Amino acid sequence: MSTAAQRRQISKLRILAHGLVGPTWQDPSDAARAMMCLQGQDWQGVLVSLALRSGQRGAPNVRAVIDSFDAGALVRTWPQRGTLHVLAAEDLFWYLPLSAQALLRREKSPRTPPPVAPHILDTLREMTIVALLPGGELFSAHSTSAAKVSESPVLSNAQTGSDSALPVGRVSRDALIAFWHEHGFLTDRQFARYFLYHLSIEGVLVQGPIPERSPRSARVGQPDFVLAHEWIRNPTMLSRDDAVAELVWRFLHSHGPASRRDLARWSNLPLRDVDAALEGHRAELTRVAIDGEEFWFPETLAERGAGSQASSVGRSVLVLPGFDELILGYASRWMTVPSEMDAALAPGKNGIFRGSIVVGGTLVGLWKRGRNGPVPEYFVEPSAALAKRVEAACARYPILSSDDLGPLSLGDVVERDRATSAAGLMTRVRSLNP
């Protein structure tokens, strides 16, 4: 049986790999590229997760994350496990076939027929594409504004047959669903999510630019849908074998130490593919066996864990969003989360996770929104010195100000946050389960 010290050491190495302590990635798109992708069903939370891993340490900037979406460097979609994730835009077209598009192949089987007749989906797809192209019904109402055309991805000259750049059509989730409803595709709105999901994993639609926010709200709206082939300017394309190798390499560099089971669960790849990729990278990797399971990670991470950064992790205090990859990026959370505390992360057993407080590699408590910022809830009463460090970390938790779009503490805007009311809570639950 593993010891608490062994598990804590694995957790500390993971914190370094995640970029939560030590050097950060230069910008949010670099962080997403290195991480492969980050869970994005909690939209506000994934903005914070990316901000914590990029830019200047100690001054996470959510504004930079938003700018990366608007510049076409980041996108949000359902690339794996039927769950929303954020990833670098250039990776979309080689990543979707690995996992997400397995659903499309299953729908061709007579044993698992699709819930909607194929000809209906074909018509809806064609109508949606035409509506978002220049001159289309949705394009005219929801295209990028003239002021942002120079900053936004555009149709290439080869696509348009012109030397001039064209803005990209964009539409909100609600407006797109209303459009389908008006054209008779949603007599019952139960299929709205299926259509959004299906067209997204096909690579037709993707969530990209973020709409302007209301001056009264400090929350960032869900990104608009765009046509993926228009929005993504320079996609990378890989063969399947190369794609599997790339995924495994990035995962171990950003999530390691990790087991083959962690990789298979996270990516939905078959274990045979995971094993083949691990074998291909064996010369650059090291591993440690705990409780009969091997955990793989790059030699460079082992060197960092044995160097000066080790003490920084030991002193670290992390205040993380509920769906952060450090907590949910593995088949089990036991390296960071003591088993007796695991149930407290999602007390309603409804898939909604609470924000966490991790000290020195171990979960010591959770947090909830309060009038003056995140309010810690400890499993064991902390010392006065530790409580003071956690309080300082909570004060740095980033969120956008509706005034200057710069990083502020949560306490500065919490009174304007509708999530503190019962109605706001229901809105949040719906946003986490689109």
Side-chain angles (χ1 to χ4, degrees), residues 251-287:
F251 183 85
L252 292 178
H253 274 72
S254 62
H255 290 69
S259 68
R260 61 196 287 270
R261 191 166 57 96
D262 291 325
L263 265 161
R265 179 261 176 195
W266 186 85
S267 65
N268 261 8
L269 287 175
L271 280 171
R272 64 178 179 275
D273 290 347
V274 170
D275 290 339
L278 287 173
E279 186 62 33
H281 292 307
R282 180 181 289 270
E284 296 85 22
L285 300 174
T286 188
R287 51 187 166 162

Side-chain angles (χ1 to χ4, degrees), residues 5 7 41-42 88 114 123 127 130 143 145 151 176 186 227 258 268-269 274 279 291 294 301-302 322 359 376 397 429:
R7 294 192 293 273
Q41 61 268 64
D42 178 356
T123 303
M127 184 184 70
V130 170
S143 63
S145 63
E151 304 170 11
L176 183 55
L186 290 175
L227 294 175
N268 261 8
L269 287 175
V274 170
E279 186 62 33
D291 292 339
E294 291 183 327
L301 180 59
V359 175
Y397 189 85
V429 170

